[in-house]
Amino acid sequence: MSVEAMYAEIILDHYREKHHSGLREPYGAQVQHVNPTCGDEVMLRVALSGDRVADVSYEGVGCSISQASTSVMTDLVIGRTVDEALALHEEFTRLMHGRGEIEPDEDRLEDAIAFAGVAKFPARVKCALLGWSAFKDAAALALAADAAESMKESR
Amino acid sequence: MSVEAMYAEIILDHYREKHHSGLREPYGAQVQHVNPTCGDEVMLRVALSGDRVADVSYEGVGCSISQASTSVMTDLVIGRTVDEALALHEEFTRLMHGRGEIEPDEDRLEDAIAFAGVAKFPARVKCALLGWSAFKDAAALALAADAAESMKESR
Amino acid sequence: MSYDVELIRSDFPILSRRVGDYPLAYLDSANTSQKPQVVIDAMVDHYERHNANVARAMHMLGAEASAAYDAGREKVAGFIGANRTEEVVFTKNASEALNLAAHSLGATLKPGDEVVISVMEHHSNIVPWQLLCARTGATLRWFDITDEGRLDLAKAAAEQLINSNTRIVSLTWVSNVLGTVNPIAEIAAQAHAVGAVMVVDGSQAVPQLTTSVTGLGADLVAFTGHKMVGPTGIGALWGRYDLLAELPPFLGGGEMIEIVKMGGSTFAPPPYRFEAGTPPIAQAVGLGAAADYLGELGMADVAAHEAAITSYALRVLQQLDGLRVLGTTSVGPEGRGGAVSFTLATRDGLDIHPHDVMTFLDSRGVAVRGGHHCARPLHERLGITASTRASFYLYTLEREIDQLVEALNYTRDFFGRAA
Amino acid sequence: MSYDVELIRSDFPILSRRVGDYPLAYLDSANTSQKPQVVIDAMVDHYERHNANVARAMHMLGAEASAAYDAGREKVAGFIGANRTEEVVFTKNASEALNLAAHSLGATLKPGDEVVISVMEHHSNIVPWQLLCARTGATLRWFDITDEGRLDLAKAAAEQLINSNTRIVSLTWVSNVLGTVNPIAEIAAQAHAVGAVMVVDGSQAVPQLTTSVTGLGADLVAFTGHKMVGPTGIGALWGRYDLLAELPPFLGGGEMIEIVKMGGSTFAPPPYRFEAGTPPIAQAVGLGAAADYLGELGMADVAAHEAAITSYALRVLQQLDGLRVLGTTSVGPEGRGGAVSFTLATRDGLDIHPHDVMTFLDSRGVAVRGGHHCARPLHERLGITASTRASFYLYTLEREIDQLVEALNYTRDFFGRAA
Ligand SMILES: Cc1ncc(COP(=O)(O)O)c(C=O)c1O
Ligand SMILES: Cc1ncc(COP(=O)(O)O)c(C=O)c1O
């Protein structure tokens, strides 16, 4: 696969116009993830409403792959239940580590299938995963915070 | 040159019967020298009487080369002026670094010419020099101590 | 002309590799340099015929290995113009050398003492001093830079950056991002005037310039083997002998000792005091061969080639629409290292991230580095998060720069078309 | 039998060297091991075809070099039975690994805390802890040994060596002088019972025994590449991931950081946090090839050969008049490493100094080590200043032991005749 093909139109569109970008209130948890090898950074917030992802907001610096991947991720997870979102995280991660041999499920991954080609460029896989990993961590923290809150309330 | 030839009879004699060994009083300076690569150690004292080497006493551990060389050195320097002794040190050091290409002066170096063969075994040159270097340092310290003493007295 | 780049290139087997349909244009030598066959062969011969531990092994192989290791040190000492061979301490890389400096020099630092670095340093000349200051309570201060990417000496003077509290000044000689050559002698004089020790990070300078550590004015100079056509796994700290002689040890272990007793130990004289454990023996052999190789080419010629190729690159890169070079854009009288960092934007103003640039360039055979190049504070100071860096060395051809420019054009247009 | 020593020897080019009229009998493998052709070739191929910096270089060569470096870590992790590849930190040698342990583990030590080692340690597992105690005011204590050269566990229990003040216990797994195999699991359990961390110096064990770091009971294990048919310039510290994750960094610089700002930095997760600067890349490739080589031979077979050749040596050496073996003289059920140290005296009782023994042996083709083998306190404890050590490895032949015995006989008689 050529680099030109890896840089699918969808990726460049999301790089030019990042969805849900910027940091917003309210949020349940905030994390900062860094890719120390290349310096890409993302600060990401997750707001839950019950078991649903109410919002994901973020600010980041990095390459088109990491930026676009984060943008696509927000489109996918906002509005879903946390469980559904984490299942998507897992599916996307598996795709990225598949060395290009896994066929992505377009119905589930939607725009994220554009990153299928990245799996063939091992050096860039971390870029595509940066935002997703940050989301996973932040969601876990937000869930834990909610749980602590409701324990307090129920006492 | 063979090792058998390097281990001249003189060396083994001195190894078996070290001359002037043991630590004695009085002394003007004492030093400890170590060959960290092989662990050979010598503690050595020099007593001066005016500009003469009145006594050299020592205690050491190490191979036959280092032990015998120290023993031979004491025979050579005790009773000489410091200047003469240091000149012998220089001559012996030059011999040791000569890679076996320097002809030793038997009249001056006496038994120490037995170490001429050591110069062909670079790994052992340090052994042959251990006691000599210790003597040089101790003699310098003893001279300095005497000088300080006489300054005090002359005040 | 005696400096024949094509001939030199034939010494480097890797340079004949291809990337798909393209010849490899390796423009990442500030990251690590390639190795000539003689350096590789020297290490092979060592492992195949002379391998043994050094110093403590006195049998035939031990004597051969020790002589080879010592010769490596002698060659390196000669290469940098050291007064004594014992002034060269072998480490695993420049980073260890700088950490050694920070630990040994800094062992007696206390609150109120100040350490001065600059905002253009490589992380390896920042973090050791941050950790030192955290351990001791000393204060870390730093030179800012001017818009041309030079040390801001006027600002430093105004804020009395170097003052009577200063204990250590540590600066890079040549910037790995901007190529700036810093006025080490001038700053060393300021440091010495207040009784501070001058440490120099020579990682980018020693491979490119004729080095005379005695003329430099510094007290300690760190550098690294893999950037000077030598192997990985070895670096060095040069130090004035009398300074090294009074510094406490850093790493403890075999080889650096004099007498070990359970109740306490004494330590060997320099350089051994600072070399704990089995040293990088084969690597010292390789680095010695590298010093010989560079010496035979002649560092004056290497430096002249570096200046010429850098001038050429600066000239053609600046003709490229959307490309902005960081720092100084000319090889001035102060000189300039062979690293050129830049940003690239499409005609409609979209910043193309350096990782994307790098990936595109790679697909067209051109190896550059994208990111912060271990100089994040410098990038932050410049108001950017990353840059693309092309860096040149004694084997770099104009043809490779042309290949770079063509690939950059293509990349910019690809990202532009997507608009 | 599948373990064919002659066949194995043909993998090691250096073993065909001669010393004058004698074949080389290299009996100094505890000092450093020889390298098989595959290990040398792996590094040559790396330098000639794949050399680049790792992690931060993402072009073709950078990706190849990174993959090769990562593969080296994976192979080493697999070889020692680590749960996770990230548990292996590359250092320059075992000594750096032990210093890293001392600095990172010991950062919070204070007066009253105790560190426990033993009198049989290599200097590299003594001096780092002495320096740590000097820095922090903690107290260094140590295991004594019995007359058979084993840890004196009874004495240790009687003096409550390991107690509630103990923070760190650091012991060698296999002695480089006596060959003693220490009961690590048992002592680790004692250490853990009082909340102390168990550090193991595996420098002599990992090359010879099947290593399962998870089964060993230790928290950190140091070892070194050059003693396990790998290159110089690389060692490793294995650590339980959760322990590594909470330890502060040691060396600072490129690659070990997360975010660097002039005001302070954050650090990468293990193993990177502990690997400042350009790592020993080609050396990791070589060490990976070494792990593969050992894995293909099979460590059970290597250990069996080591036990057999050591038994043979102990048997024939003890028949030699005037020779006294230090420590245990049998390969018992606890096992015994392949290092046999001894003293030699003439028939009339003159001690022949080990350096003299070594020089004579060398002239007859036999390479052994004479001295204190970086274990001066152990020798002092044994009431001697030095010993001669013959040490064996996977390529050692009985014929070489016979050559040793013959040369020892000759040496003893030469010094005896001189009486
Ligand atoms: C038991 C032991 N520990 C530590 C070391 C030190 O290893 P290195 O010299 O590779 O740092 C050695 C070898 O010299 C050793 O035998
Ligand atoms: C200016 C500068 N200093 C220090 C270093 C660190 O060198 P090493 O990675 O060999 O420790 C580098 C290279 O990465 C550098 O360019």
Side-chain angles (χ1 to χ4, degrees), chain D residues 249-301:
Chain D
F250 170 40
L251 302 180
E255 316 301 325
M256 52 71 75
I257 53 90
E258 188 180 60
I259 298 185
V260 175
K261 303 189 184 201
M262 293 308 281
S265 302
T266 55
F267 305 110
Y272 310 106
R273 184 186 306 164
F274 305 105
E275 296 180 350
T278 301
I281 304 170
Q283 291 73 30
V285 171
L287 187 54
D292 279 349
Y293 183 83
L294 294 173
E296 273 159 38
L297 288 184
M299 285 306 292
D301 285 354

Side-chain angles (χ1 to χ4, degrees), chain A residues 3-9 12-13 15-16 32 35-41 61-65 121 123-124 127, chain C residues 346 348 350-353 355-360 363-364 369-372 376 385-386 410 414-419:
Chain A
V3 272
E4 289 84 353
M6 166 168 85
Y7 282 85
E9 204 69 30
L12 295 182
D13 286 350
Y15 183 46
R16 286 187 174 269
Q32 179 164 35
N35 184 343
T37 54
C38 65
D40 282 5
E41 301 173 11
V61 295
C63 62
S64 61
I65 308 287
F121 292 78
R124 309 305 299 277
C127 309
Chain C
T346 62
D348 66 333
L350 176 75
D351 282 330
I352 312 175
H353 193 276
H355 298 148
D356 298 318
V357 175
M358 198 204 54
T359 297
F360 265 75
S363 78
R364 303 177 88 76
R369 184 171 173 193
H372 54 44
R376 190 184 179 282
T385 59
Y410 175 84
F414 179 91
F415 278 82
R417 260 201 307 279

